């Protein structure tokens, strides 16, 4: 397994979302969103992208979006590694004496994955739980 930073393309993004049953956005929206993304991580196996994670934000508030691992390679630590790389990016970008807030919306049933990694649940009535973690340096 190899991991790459900032190499996520529209085709892989759409294919991975489809692999877990998520509805895609228009190609125009997707291209614009990928262009405006702060940081991405992709996982490759046998020259195919099998996982991705995206981080958006403004330098104080960050949101993890689109953390997806293709179903046939789930439970191999790929999502954990992508997630860790996203967190490490925020830690690097948080200045000494500063703090950053990381948020995400967890798919229903996936909350324990994030809770094990220090995220706190903020219940939400419309979708899976919103979760948050504060990084201090």
């Amino acid at each position: 397994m190899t991991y790459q930073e900032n190499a996520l393309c529209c085709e892989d993004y759409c294919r991975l979302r489809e692999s877990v049953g998520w509805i895609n956005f228009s190609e125009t929206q997707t291209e614009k969103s990928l262009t405006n993304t702060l940081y991405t991580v992709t996982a490759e196996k046998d020259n195919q992208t099998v996982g991705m994670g995206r981080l958006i934000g403004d330098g104080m508030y960050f949101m993890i979006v689109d953390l997806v691992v293709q179903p046939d390679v789930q439970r191999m630590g790929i999502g954990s590694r992508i997630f860790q790389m996203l967190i490490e990016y925020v830690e690097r970008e948080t200045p000494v004496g500063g703090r950053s807030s990381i948020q995400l919306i967890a798919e229903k049933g996936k909350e324990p994955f994030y809770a094990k990694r220090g995220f706190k649940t903020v219940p939400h009535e419309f979708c899976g739980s919103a979760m948050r973690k504060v990084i201090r340096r």
Side-chain angles (χ1 to χ4, degrees), residues 25-49:
F25 298 91
S26 75
E27 186 175 340
T28 301
Q29 284 179 294
T30 301
E31 290 286 353
K32 183 175 183 179
S33 293
L34 291 175
T35 298
N36 291 327
T37 298
L38 288 177
Y39 179 71
T40 67
V41 176
T42 52
E44 287 188 14
K45 179 180 180 197
D46 301 325
N47 294 318
Q48 182 181 14
T49 301

Side-chain angles (χ1 to χ4, degrees), residues 101-119:
S101 177
I102 306 172
Q103 301 166 18
L104 59 89
I105 304 292
E107 283 287 310
K108 201 154 199 70
K110 301 293 184 182
E111 297 90 349
F113 175 87
Y114 301 105
K116 285 192 306 188
R117 290 153 179 86
F119 279 70

Side-chain angles (χ1 to χ4, degrees), residues 4-16 30-31 33-35 37 39-44 49 51-55 65-66:
Q4 293 191 21
E5 299 173 304
N6 300 317
L8 181 59
C9 69
C10 186
E11 180 182 329
D12 288 336
Y13 175 86
C14 292
R15 184 180 49 75
L16 286 169
T30 301
E31 290 286 353
S33 293
L34 291 175
T35 298
T37 298
Y39 179 71
T40 67
V41 176
T42 52
E44 287 188 14
T49 301
M52 68 174 175
R54 231 169 36 98
L55 191 65
V65 294
D66 303 316

